[in-house]
Amino acid sequence: MSAPTQWKRLGAGALVASALYVAYPKPEVAAVAAAPPHTDPFAFVRSMEGTRPDGDLRQSAEGRLVVDAELGHLFDYYLAGLGEKDLQAIRAEIERELDRRLAPGPAAQAKRLLASYLDYKRALADAEKSLVPLADLAKSARARLELKQRLRPQFFSAADAAGLFGAADAYDADALARLDIDQNGALTPEQRELQLAALDKRMPAALRDDREAPTRVMRTEASVQKLRAQGAGDDEVYRLRAAAFSPEAAGRLADLDREESAWKGRITAYLAQRASLGAAPEAMLQKVRDQHFSAEEQRRLGAYE
């Protein structure tokens, strides 16, 4: 997962917490990969069309759920649909997804954690109303992080809290430390560089991977373009991506390549047919559009026409 993706997820969590305050009803080790997420042509909500559910869920060889950040990513993926669907429908959809991906025992564990997660999000939205607005960005972000950490023991065991939120907390803490250094006007450029280097040295390997991921993606895709320019085929591109990321990621990127290629092919065919019609009436042009694209896809045509 890239650093921008992780920030996006953290930001989405804040939006989810706010939405839950309004929508929430009254209270009522060897890892085995679970079934992978799928692209659903009939997305749960319109805004999710063409996306895959987040969360690489896993269960241990002993048949227990692996509680990590990926579980929270799955919850937040669906909770981002609040407003398009109500919370009851979203919760039911998450539970169906858990049943699809996990064995009955781990699925039951995940559902219990989902209930705690929803309660926690509601409590967080409530508690945030007591936070005093601060002009200092670092102090404001630190206050919110500390509030979240104080609330979690009410809803999660220490192990579950560490699994669900530990990676995000480490990322936040690192970002706040860097912000403190950046905003410290008493530091010389040399002192600032030394302090940032010290943070880099202490950074956990997983966090370092997240920070370096965007650069690694850009370097790899530049290599892919170079390979293709030299006449390389899909197999060579797959091997390059698999070595840089993982076989699963390489497969997903290959799927995206095929989807993009198919889209471009449809655009080319459409533009050729449109050109052959010349100054045809708009009704005829619209009929051509309808032959090639759905109503949703037609919103993208302006960039090509």
Side-chain angles (χ1 to χ4, degrees):
M1 176 177 52
S2 71
T5 299
Q6 191 156 14
W7 274 116
K8 178 181 175 184
R9 284 170 167 168
L10 295 175
L15 293 174
V16 166
S18 300
L20 277 170
Y21 180 73
V22 176
Y24 197 91
K26 298 301 178 187
E28 336 182 48
V29 124
V32 179
H38 64 293
T39 300
D40 189 349
F42 304 102
F44 178 58
V45 295
R46 182 170 294 277
S47 64
M48 294 178 183
E49 286 182 0
T51 68
R52 298 171 185 266
D54 285 341
D56 182 17
L57 304 188
R58 297 181 297 155
Q59 51 202 42
S60 72
E62 294 76 29
R64 291 192 59 80
L65 177 71
V66 175
V67 180
D68 60 13
E70 295 298 320
L71 184 62
H73 297 334
L74 174 68
F75 296 163
D76 283 341
Y77 172 86
Y78 284 103
L79 287 169
L82 277 169
E84 294 178 85
K85 292 285 182 75
D86 62 32
L87 184 60
Q88 184 176 359
I90 288 173
R91 180 171 181 170
E93 185 68 14
I94 296 173
E95 291 183 345
R96 280 192 288 272
E97 184 73 2
L98 294 173
D99 285 333
R100 191 187 75 80
R101 295 208 217 171
L102 298 168
Q109 288 178 261
K111 290 175 188 177
R112 288 192 292 271
L113 280 171
L114 172 61
S116 297
Y117 193 82
L118 295 175
D119 288 342
Y120 162 69
K121 288 291 187 178
R122 183 190 179 203
L124 178 60
D126 244 338
E128 283 183 324
K129 296 160 76 174
S130 66
L131 288 176
V132 178
L134 300 172
D136 188 307
L137 177 62
K139 287 182 180 178
S140 179
R142 186 170 283 106
R144 186 173 186 275
L145 177 59
E146 290 170 354
L147 174 62
K148 291 190 290 186
Q149 291 171 334
R150 287 197 304 272
L151 278 176
R152 288 172 192 158
Q154 300 174 32
F155 303 95
F156 305 101
S157 69
D160 287 342
L164 283 167
F165 308 109
D169 283 358
Y171 195 94
D172 284 349
D174 181 77
L176 286 169
R178 292 173 190 279
L179 189 57
D180 285 338
I181 293 170
D182 185 64
Q183 292 183 343
N184 189 345
L187 295 176
T188 66
E190 292 76 15
Q191 290 171 327
R192 185 172 288 108
E193 187 175 339
L194 284 172
Q195 291 192 18
L196 289 172
L199 281 179
D200 289 341
K201 191 172 183 179
R202 296 198 302 270
M203 188 183 298
L207 184 55
R208 183 177 294 108
D209 285 346
D210 275 349
R211 288 178 60 87
E212 294 174 353
T215 302
R216 188 165 68 252
V217 168
M218 288 187 290
R219 284 200 308 264
T220 302
E221 289 310 296
S223 297
V224 165
Q225 296 306 315
K226 186 176 180 180
L227 267 181
R228 292 201 185 280
Q230 295 170 349
D234 291 342
D235 287 346
E236 292 167 283
V237 169
Y238 175 86
R239 287 195 293 272
L240 174 66
R241 286 169 167 167
F245 307 117
S246 70
E248 294 77 16
R252 290 194 292 270
L253 288 168
D255 288 343
L256 289 174
D257 284 349
R258 284 190 288 270
E259 290 168 10
E260 182 65 16
S261 177
W263 169 257
K264 289 179 178 177
R266 290 163 62 202
I267 289 289
T268 299
Y270 162 70
L271 292 177
Q273 187 174 353
R274 178 188 168 106
S276 70
L277 294 174
E282 176 59 26
M284 184 177 293
L285 295 177
Q286 184 58 49
K287 187 176 180 180
V288 174
R289 293 188 195 102
D290 292 340
Q291 290 173 355
H292 290 274
F293 306 103
S294 68
E296 188 72 22
E297 289 171 334
Q298 288 180 34
R299 299 177 186 177
R300 301 170 58 188
L301 291 182
Y304 301 91
E305 292 181 318

